Amino acid sequence: MRIIDTQRSGNCWKVRLLASFLGIDLQRATLSIDRGDLRSAEFINSAPMKKVPVLELDDGSRLSESGAILFYLARGTPWWPEDAKQQAQTLAWMAFEQEQHMPPLSRLRLHLALRKDLTAEAAQARRWLHESNAALSIFEAHLATGRRWVCTDTEPSIADVALYPYTRMSTMGGIDLDVYPHVEEWVARIEELAGYQALFPGRPDMNLSSLELTSKLFSI
Ligand SMILES: N[C@@H](CCC(=O)N[C@@H](CS)C(=O)NCC(=O)O)C(=O)O
């Protein structure tokens, strides 16, 4: 199996992270948005939704959408709960991530890394900041009920994987995670799991760096 990804995409990180937790050896083909790789005919013809991540299966077929790929990899493992109610809750938190959480957090991160402050184009960036904090507040209140994982009791599910990258990188958008202590503890729990893989394995200096953004080698 091979993942087609970009270097700093949180959506792509989800897939590599779960594969690593599951001990799946995932080949990697890393594209650059900046270089125009995602506009190439080769990518457009091969990517069902024209975005990364794409998971290429051994039979040559390709899957799009991080949540769908997480589901595909997790079936038959504890990362996809057996109980129907927990499955529904997992899907609900993954929908929350795609609708309310990832969009403002990823846009804020990119905006701040490129423009350095919230004064330029303030109105839009402040909306993203407001929406990001609203999503993190919902997540904090959920975790504050005493749960260790997003919707399962004993072991994490793919909802935890889906919510992790953009929560982890929210500080790049100027968000102080100290304000969300249960979220911070949950982030630490994820990072203690066997098989955890950082955004840049072996390069902790790169994980929360925005250097590539300012030198225009970056894609969200
Ligand atoms: N809902 C999709 C979002 C995928 C997405 O937005 N991918 C970004 C990278 S994080 C991308 O391909 N951006 C390039 C573009 O939009 O042209 C998922 O979860 O996989």
Side-chain angles (χ1 to χ4, degrees):
M1 262 188 296
R2 188 170 79 136
I3 181 176
I4 302 169
D5 63 6
T6 55
Q7 223 183 15
R8 284 190 171 273
S9 156
N11 287 308
C12 297
W13 188 12
K14 294 171 195 172
V15 177
R16 295 195 306 275
L17 192 54
L18 181 65
S20 186
F21 284 142
L22 290 170
I24 295 172
D25 181 24
L26 209 53
Q27 305 299 307
R28 196 172 167 187
T30 300
L31 306 180
S32 159
I33 292 181
D34 225 47
R35 205 167 50 209
D37 294 350
L38 273 65
R39 291 192 302 274
S40 73
E42 189 189 352
F43 179 75
I44 288 170
N45 292 333
S46 66
M49 312 273 173
K50 318 303 174 205
K51 289 183 188 253
V52 289
V54 172
L55 184 72
E56 211 171 62
L57 306 183
D58 293 341
D59 68 1
S61 50
R62 297 183 182 90
L63 302 179
S64 269
E65 285 294 327
S66 60
I69 297 171
L70 293 181
F71 165 74
Y72 179 81
L73 295 176
R75 284 160 315 129
T77 81
W79 292 87
W80 175 243
E82 281 180 15
D83 176 68
K85 195 169 75 183
Q86 288 191 344
Q87 289 177 350
Q89 287 164 343
T90 302
L91 292 175
W93 281 101
M94 290 170 75
F96 165 79
E97 189 268 345
Q98 288 279 301
E99 275 191 22
Q100 298 186 51
H101 176 273
M102 180 269 282
L105 282 166
S106 62
R107 286 169 190 147
L108 187 62
R109 169 183 170 228
L110 186 60
H111 171 90
L112 215 74
L114 289 172
R115 296 186 183 79
K116 298 286 185 219
D117 61 54
L118 281 177
T119 53
E121 299 175 35
Q124 181 60 74
R126 283 186 191 288
R127 265 197 295 279
W128 290 328
L129 180 62
H130 175 76
E131 288 167 14
S132 296
N133 277 309
L136 288 168
S137 299
I138 291 172
F139 193 29
E140 171 69 15
H142 178 65
L143 292 172
T145 58
R147 46 184 74 243
R148 282 179 62 75
W149 307 112
V150 174
C151 36
T152 41
D153 299 327
T154 51
E155 288 166 294
S157 72
I158 54 174
D160 294 271
V161 179
L163 279 155
Y164 171 78
Y166 290 100
T167 302
R168 178 70 180 85
M169 297 189 291
S170 60
T171 52
M172 291 178 74
I175 286 176
D176 184 1
L177 269 187
D178 288 0
V179 184
Y180 306 105
H182 295 89
V183 172
E184 265 200 322
E185 286 166 19
W186 168 85
V187 163
R189 275 197 291 282
I190 296 269
E191 294 175 2
E192 281 162 11
L193 291 170
Y196 172 80
Q197 189 181 102
L199 183 59
F200 286 88
R203 290 293 311 272
D205 55 314
M206 297 278 282
N207 289 331
L208 295 180
S209 148
S210 55
L211 286 177
E212 307 90 288
L213 280 163
T214 47
S215 64
K216 302 210 79 181
L217 284 171
F218 179 91
S219 55
I220 56 169

